[in-house]
Amino acid sequence: MTNYKLIIAYDGSKYNGFQRQSKHPEKTIQGKLENVLSKLFEEDIQIIGSGRTDAGVHSKGQVCNFHTHSFIDFEHILEYLRTYLPQDIAVVDLGIASERFHARYNVVGKRYVYTIDNGFFPDPFSLRYAYHVSEKLDLDAIRTAANLLLGEHDFQAFTSLKSKTKSTVRTIKSIDIKQEESKIIFTYEGNGFLQHMVRILTGTLVEIGLGTREATSITTLLEGKTRSAAGHKAPANGLCLEKVFY
């Protein structure tokens, strides 16, 4: 068996997320990849992704692997994928992984980037890749609040996950917040992120930046573990999975 490893970039605007859905597999990134690769290898190819991304979320570094009974050289695979994949999905890297490599189970960390367009008018060239907030944001207050999120915490208040059996404890290593002209870029790095976690964290921090909640409320939210007490879920289009660590 050959275990191929791919790094995929995609514009998620037109897709129902990364993970294949039984009813409409062609509307997912995984479904598109599996369809093309199965035709190339002439066998049923099943992609393993590092994790899900929501509908409308983008990626520069989604990691996948798949096993096959065949071996086809990289140049042929890349040429075939370039020909038959839609232009909003691209292969950034392709290689052979060890037989035991698993794109999801071997993950030790991820980096997500969330972009906010803080101009008075929305930038027409970033409408698909940034959340437009026209009111000026207080970055000092946002950074103060972000520091309270660092380290290991129970992030139950910051996820849509409703399972009572899965742990909601995660470790956020860093949250970097920088401004580039009218764009405010949030970079989150941690050992893992729960369903909608980055989007809810961002929505909460935006509310702090707008002055509608206090920076110190972060501590209360972490202790209270109540989703309804936290901020809104920021739109999917501003989020991008930048890198997966192994």
Side-chain angles (χ1 to χ4, degrees), residues 175-194:
I175 303 176
D176 179 68
I177 300 161
K178 64 180 179 180
Q179 185 159 11
E180 296 180 356
E181 298 181 338
S182 66
K183 302 298 191 298
I184 299 173
I185 300 167
F186 294 67
T187 303
Y188 298 84
E189 193 169 309
N191 67 349
F193 295 89
L194 301 161

Side-chain angles (χ1 to χ4, degrees), residues 129-143:
Y129 310 108
Y131 169 28
H132 181 239
V133 179
S134 60
E135 297 87 350
K136 185 173 175 59
L137 296 175
D138 183 344
L139 295 189
D140 289 337
I142 290 175
R143 291 189 178 105

Side-chain angles (χ1 to χ4, degrees), residues 42-106:
E42 298 182 337
E43 61 179 283
D44 182 25
I45 298 296
Q46 296 186 6
I47 292 284
I48 299 168
S50 69
R52 304 178 182 184
T53 53
D54 300 332
V57 172
H58 317 292
S59 176
K60 292 182 179 179
Q62 174 70 280
V63 179
C64 312
N65 74 289
F66 66 92
H67 293 86
T68 172
H69 296 287
S70 308
F71 175 81
I72 298 177
D73 66 87
F74 297 162
E75 184 177 351
H76 187 186
I77 295 173
L78 292 172
E79 185 65 34
Y80 192 90
L81 290 173
R82 185 177 66 176
T83 302
Y84 293 104
L85 281 176
Q87 291 185 328
D88 49 13
I89 303 175
V91 179
V92 177
D93 191 35
L94 172 66
I96 301 292
S98 67
E99 187 176 340
R100 299 183 65 182
F101 174 77
H102 193 286
R104 183 168 75 255
Y105 295 153
N106 294 151

Side-chain angles (χ1 to χ4, degrees), residues 119-156:
F120 181 75
F121 285 98
D123 177 0
F125 299 102
S126 64
L127 289 174
R128 292 167 65 171
Y129 310 108
Y131 169 28
H132 181 239
V133 179
S134 60
E135 297 87 350
K136 185 173 175 59
L137 296 175
D138 183 344
L139 295 189
D140 289 337
I142 290 175
R143 291 189 178 105
T144 297
N147 285 334
L148 298 175
L149 293 165
L150 301 181
E152 183 180 88
H153 299 284
D154 187 332
F155 287 96
Q156 189 172 341

Side-chain angles (χ1 to χ4, degrees), residues 214-228:
E214 297 294 325
T216 52
S217 67
I218 292 295
T219 301
T220 304
L221 292 171
L222 290 169
E223 293 173 349
K225 304 177 185 178
T226 303
R227 166 67 191 100
S228 60

